[in-house]
Amino acid sequence: MNLSRYSSAVIAALVVLSIAVGAVAAVETASDGVPQESEVGTEVTATYTFTELYTDYESWTLNGQTNLTGVTWTVTKYNQAGNQIDQQSYDGGEFDASIDIDSGSAETNSVTVEVRGTTPEIESYQFEPEETYTLAQFRLVRSGGTSQALSSTSVHHFTPDSQEAREAIETAQQTIEETNAGNEAQTTLENAIEAYNNEEFGSAVTFANNAEQQARQDESTENRNQLILYAVAGLVVIGLLVGGVAYWRSQQDSYDKLG
């Protein structure tokens, strides 16, 4: 009975696994020019390349979406020799491009998508996890509406004020970790993070700088206390040595008198 249940569980797991594997598109995606972060209001350009287009399906739609504003998508198709055979441009936050193996004499072998737009505003500030927007998200869409994720890219965005505050907080965090600072510095750091989340970036910088100073002071105090301990220990050692020498001499004097 137990063996039967175990076998049933294994079969069920394999079925689920096969469904999960089948749901992953085999289209390969590569990207170029994707920034790690971008300032609000600045222009961003990135290029995505799609190959192995027909591993699963011979006809499907490439769907792209982005949070960038003022967006232009440039979709370029290439044949097996790498020659351009088609190019289309789309405006807006989303586009659809048909991918079909039976598209005439010039079969599409690969596709590149260039997305160009402006870094969006930040809707809500949070120090951790950092604020991000979707630079580009692509899906393979089949007739009937079923779809599969191909790739998704998220990028950190910032303003000059938020970046200054974030850098100050990160510096304070590092200093507190390195110095093993006490509760006062940690509490001040928490105040800095709270101010950041409330978009009070000037206060966040002030709190962060204070937290770093407190951590440095804790380190200085700890070093001073260690020096004092070392000095006291040294005096104790010297006292023991002096006492030992005095005792040894007294013993020698007693021995001479007896002699």
Side-chain angles (χ1 to χ4, degrees), residues 6-258:
Y6 176 78
S7 300
S8 299
V10 170
I11 293 172
L14 289 174
V15 170
V16 172
L17 180 60
S18 65
I19 293 174
V21 170
V24 177
V27 176
E28 295 187 2
T29 308
S31 61
D32 183 50
V34 176
Q36 290 186 342
E37 58 183 13
S38 63
E39 182 179 340
V40 171
T42 60
E43 187 176 90
V44 175
T45 302
T47 302
Y48 295 81
T49 301
F50 301 89
T51 56
E52 304 297 331
L53 303 178
Y54 309 109
T55 302
D56 291 329
Y57 309 107
E58 294 184 351
S59 178
W60 52 279
T61 298
L62 175 63
N63 171 262
Q65 299 178 29
T66 182
N67 290 146
L68 293 171
T69 61
V71 184
T72 297
W73 306 86
T74 302
V75 181
T76 307
K77 299 178 181 179
Y78 299 88
N79 61 18
Q80 193 167 5
N83 299 320
Q84 178 180 322
I85 57 176
D86 185 55
Q87 186 175 83
Q88 298 289 332
S89 293
Y90 306 86
D91 294 329
E94 184 175 1
F95 81 93
D96 289 309
S98 176
I99 307 296
D100 194 337
I101 194 173
D102 189 21
S103 56
S105 58
E107 177 186 321
T108 302
N109 186 67
S110 64
V111 176
T112 64
V113 178
E114 180 190 79
V115 57
R116 181 189 301 271
T118 302
T119 304
E121 298 288 336
I122 301 172
E123 295 182 359
S124 178
Y125 286 89
Q126 56 182 21
F127 181 75
E128 191 174 27
E130 64 183 15
E131 313 88 345
T132 61
Y133 67 94
T134 299
L135 173 61
Q137 176 179 284
F138 298 97
R139 300 188 69 83
L140 181 158
V141 181
R142 289 279 291 147
S143 176
T146 60
S147 65
Q148 300 173 4
L150 295 179
S151 71
S152 182
T153 306
S154 295
V155 176
H156 169 55
H157 54 162
F158 61 90
T159 65
D161 290 340
S162 72
Q163 186 77 337
E164 180 186 9
R166 179 175 291 278
E167 290 176 353
I169 292 173
E170 289 175 346
T171 299
Q173 282 180 324
Q174 183 176 356
T175 302
I176 289 173
E177 291 176 0
E178 291 176 349
T179 60
N180 195 25
N183 292 333
E184 184 179 5
Q186 187 62 48
T187 299
T188 306
L189 177 63
E190 292 172 359
N191 291 336
I193 294 175
E194 182 178 358
Y196 180 97
N197 294 339
N198 292 329
E199 301 182 37
E200 300 169 358
F201 301 122
S203 297
V205 171
T206 300
F207 278 126
N209 290 339
N210 289 342
E212 183 181 8
Q213 292 176 2
Q214 290 165 353
R216 296 295 185 194
Q217 290 173 357
D218 288 348
E219 181 183 36
S220 177
T221 300
E222 183 178 355
N223 290 339
R224 184 172 63 251
N225 291 339
Q226 287 181 345
L227 289 175
I228 292 173
L229 289 175
Y230 292 152
V232 171
L235 291 174
V236 170
V237 171
I238 292 173
L240 290 174
L241 289 174
V242 170
V245 171
Y247 177 77
W248 178 78
R249 286 181 175 177
S250 66
Q251 291 297 102
Q252 292 296 109
D253 292 343
S254 299
Y255 178 79
D256 292 342
K257 291 177 181 179
L258 291 175

